[in-house]
Structures are given as C-alpha cells and as structure tokens.
Amino acid sequence: MASLANTTAGAVAGARKISNGKPIPFVSSKSLSFPSFRPSISSLKPLIPTKFSSLSPRQCSPNPSPSTSPPSLKSRLRNGETLYGIFLLSFSPTLAEIVAFSGYDFVVIDMEHGPGGIHESLQMLRAVATTNTPAIIRLPESSAVWAKKALDLGPQGIMFPMIDSPKDAKKAVSYCRFPPNGIRGSAHTVVRASNYGINEGYLSNYKEDLLIMCQVETVDGVKKVEEIAAVEGVDCIQMGPLDLSASLGYLWDPGHKKVREMLRTAEKEVLKSDRKDGGAFLAGFAMPHDPPGALGKRGYHMVSGAIDVGLFRNAAVEDVRKFKISLNADSNDSDDDKDSDEKYWSE
C-alpha cells in the first residue's frame, strides 16, 4: 500500500510539470466555472397565420445552437398558427421517434388511455427530443400528484381530463404553479424540467413556456365552458367528442345530430373569448365524420388527427386485406391460364 501511495504521489507531482520543468498550476473542480446551458431547438419555418403549418419530415439536430431557439407552442398559437398533432397511446419509443421525424407540430403522450405511466412517459419524451418535437402529457386524472410528477419530466404542455367547472380549472392551474401562486411541489434543482438544475432560468420562465390545457367532455362542462375558458392560466380548451357523446347518451354514435349541436355550442363559447385578455384557444380531435380540415376551418388552433395505435391498426388491417385479395386474384389468374393452356393444346 505504501509503494502504491508513493507511486501515485509521484505521478501527480510529475503531471504538474511540463517538459521544461516549470510547474503547471493545479486546477480544482471548485475553481472551474461553467456557463448556464439550456438545450435549444432548431429554428422552424416562418409561421403561417390561420392555416395549418407546413408539415414536413424533421432532421435530427445533435448540436443545437442557443441562438436558434424556436417559439414555444404557446407563442405559435398567439402568432395565429393552426398546429397539427398526434396522440401517442402505444408508449413505444420507436413509434414516437418515427412520429417525431414525420413533422407533426406536437405530440400528446396519453397517460389517460394509454398503458404507460411516468417512467414510460420519460422514454417517450426522450424519443421525440431528438427532433425537438414539443410534447404534451395527458394526465390519467386531474390531481396535484399526477401533475407534479408529469411536470417534473419537462413536457411543453399538460392536459387535464374531465374539467367540468371553473373551480376544476382553477385547481388544475394551481397544480402547475409553485407557491404562493399554486401548490406544485418543488424539486426544480434536480428534475428534468430544469435540465436537472443546469437551466438557471427555469423558475423565471416555466409559467410562460408551459401550455395548460383543460378537457371539456361532458354536458356539465359545456354548460360552463365559457367560464372555464376565462380562468386565468388556462391556455386551451380541448374538446372531447367521444366522452361528450357518451355524456349525451350516444356512446355508439358520436356523429349524432345532438352531439354535433352540443359541440358547436361549446366551440362558439370558446371562440368568442378574448384571447388577448386571457381567453383560451380551441383544441380538438378529429373524427371520421369530422376530419382535421373541418376543425381548422371552424377555428380550432390545435388539431389532433390520429393516434399511433390507430394508424398502425389501419395499416395492419389493410396489409392483410391486400394479401387476401392477391391470393384470390392469383387463383383466378391460374384458372384462366389453365383454360388458356387447354384451349391451346386442344387446338
């Protein structure tokens, strides 16, 4: 042990000298100073007011520059863009990564109906981070605990389900803010949302950067939707057409006339709110009878048009269908060829 200590001491002493024998100043970790660093996002194309943004596949930006931080979802909405996104229910990082490279404006990581929890959501966030695709986490329920754990992961937005009153909306906002403005628990010095404490400006910017979305998806919620949209801190009202149809007694018929009428009523109440004076934007999910383009024309500024599981299901079903059709076609072709051969030889 003594010889090892002597050898180590000699090596350290030697490392402090250069070839001419002059000592090199010893630098301790305490004397090092690192600038505050916050990973940025590659710049986006010019914003296109009142229309869907031009969607195109993204390229990976492994070395982003701090000077090219793009606008957040919140600022893009305020600039008049209509954004197009997709819900991720599979919790497959591979599918999430493909989706991110495809060029969607945002993704919604769905903990309400998907099988994943906080750990799986973290993997999804990391998958879409390669292209700096903004992610929103939909909570399984509107609660302080779920909101705290989701927000610590650092999504750009958070979606609260089943908001039926202004009181519910105020609680949701309080879950997103630190005291004295809310009740969010704090570990901002070490969580991913602040780049594990490296982003020293997190506490100054988190309120401005975070998009808070409240889902209105019941008859009671629609009756109070104007008041919900006016709650300070609520940025978007996300309509839920399937749950709304169930609330009206038409679970199997979301395209029913009464469901559509109720949805139009809610849309008008949200759209008439003054967004410059704290009003909310309108967000929604497309349905077979109500495609994405129709929502955009009616004033929705955030439109989700697909679900990763649904896209894969449709592709799989179509793949099987085409194969079975090809088998029938080959069978018919073989019969025709046999008839042709028989006719040829009989002649």
Side-chain angles (χ1 to χ4, degrees):
M1 292 295 291
S3 61
L4 177 60
N6 293 335
T7 302
T8 302
V12 172
R16 294 185 185 180
K17 295 181 180 181
I18 55 177
S19 58
N20 61 7
K22 293 182 179 181
I24 297 176
F26 180 74
V27 181
S28 69
S29 60
K30 293 183 179 179
S31 66
L32 293 177
S33 177
F34 296 97
S36 175
F37 174 74
R38 183 181 184 181
S40 63
I41 308 171
S42 59
S43 59
L44 300 172
K45 294 181 178 180
L47 304 179
I48 307 174
T50 70
K51 295 182 179 179
F52 286 111
S53 60
S54 178
L55 301 177
S56 60
R58 284 187 175 87
Q59 299 298 319
C60 182
S61 302
N63 298 305
S65 169
S67 63
T68 57
S69 294
S72 64
L73 286 175
K74 215 169 180 178
S75 61
R76 293 176 71 185
L77 289 171
R78 289 171 178 169
N79 284 330
E81 275 196 272
T82 299
L83 308 177
Y84 188 61
I86 183 172
F87 274 56
L88 303 177
L89 267 73
S90 70
F91 281 83
S92 163
T94 299
L95 291 183
E97 198 170 32
I98 292 171
V99 161
F101 280 117
S102 298
Y104 287 95
D105 291 308
F106 65 91
V107 301
V108 178
I109 300 170
D110 192 355
M111 286 201 298
E112 183 183 13
H113 293 294
I118 291 296
H119 177 73
E120 292 79 9
S121 294
L122 175 59
Q123 308 314 314
M124 299 290 279
L125 286 169
R126 286 172 173 163
V128 301
T130 56
T131 59
N132 300 298
T133 301
I136 298 162
I137 293 182
R138 177 157 78 161
L139 302 180
E141 65 178 11
S142 182
S143 74
V145 173
W146 277 112
K148 174 176 60 179
K149 293 182 76 66
L151 289 171
D152 282 350
L153 297 182
Q156 202 171 118
I158 187 167
M159 188 184 296
F160 292 91
M162 292 292 178
I163 300 298
D164 289 337
S165 69
K167 182 179 180 180
D168 291 344
K170 290 177 182 178
K171 285 183 178 180
V173 173
S174 75
Y175 301 155
C176 300
R177 294 182 175 174
F178 297 113
N181 301 312
I183 62 171
R184 178 183 171 188
S186 177
H188 62 274
T189 57
V190 292
V191 296
R192 186 177 186 271
S194 65
N195 299 336
Y196 305 100
I198 296 173
N199 174 16
E200 296 176 355
Y202 175 71
L203 290 181
S204 301
N205 302 322
Y206 83 96
K207 283 173 57 178
E208 181 60 28
D209 293 342
L210 180 66
L211 187 75
I212 300 177
M213 306 177 72
C214 288
Q215 285 189 259
V216 172
E217 42 195 343
T218 65
V219 173
D220 289 340
V222 171
K223 290 179 180 179
K224 298 287 186 178
V225 70
E226 183 180 7
E227 298 173 57
I228 295 172
V231 170
E232 190 275 328
V234 173
D235 300 305
C236 278
I237 298 296
Q238 170 82 27
M239 299 307 303
L242 281 179
D243 280 305
L244 182 58
S245 66
S247 178
L248 285 165
Y250 299 101
L251 177 61
W252 300 106
D253 189 10
H256 192 279
K257 180 180 178 181
K258 291 185 179 180
V259 179
R260 286 186 280 115
E261 288 175 351
M262 183 69 74
L263 191 63
R264 299 299 184 276
T265 297
E267 292 168 355
K268 291 175 182 178
E269 293 296 321
V270 176
L271 290 172
K272 75 180 184 182
S273 65
D274 187 358
R275 288 188 290 273
K276 294 182 180 179
D277 190 32
F281 292 93
L282 185 61
F285 194 88
M287 301 288 287
H289 64 276
D290 200 9
L295 270 63
K297 290 178 181 178
R298 294 206 303 274
Y300 283 78
H301 278 78
M302 294 186 78
V303 177
S304 298
I307 301 172
D308 59 349
V309 172
L311 286 177
F312 185 78
R313 174 205 63 204
N314 292 344
V317 170
E318 179 63 11
D319 183 53
V320 174
R321 187 189 70 84
K322 286 182 177 179
F323 176 71
K324 291 182 176 179
I325 288 176
S326 70
L327 286 181
N328 292 332
D330 291 343
S331 177
N332 293 333
D333 290 342
S334 297
D335 292 340
D336 292 340
D337 292 342
K338 183 178 179 181
D339 292 341
S340 299
D341 291 342
E342 288 179 350
K343 288 179 182 179
Y344 177 82
W345 290 112
S346 65
E347 293 174 355

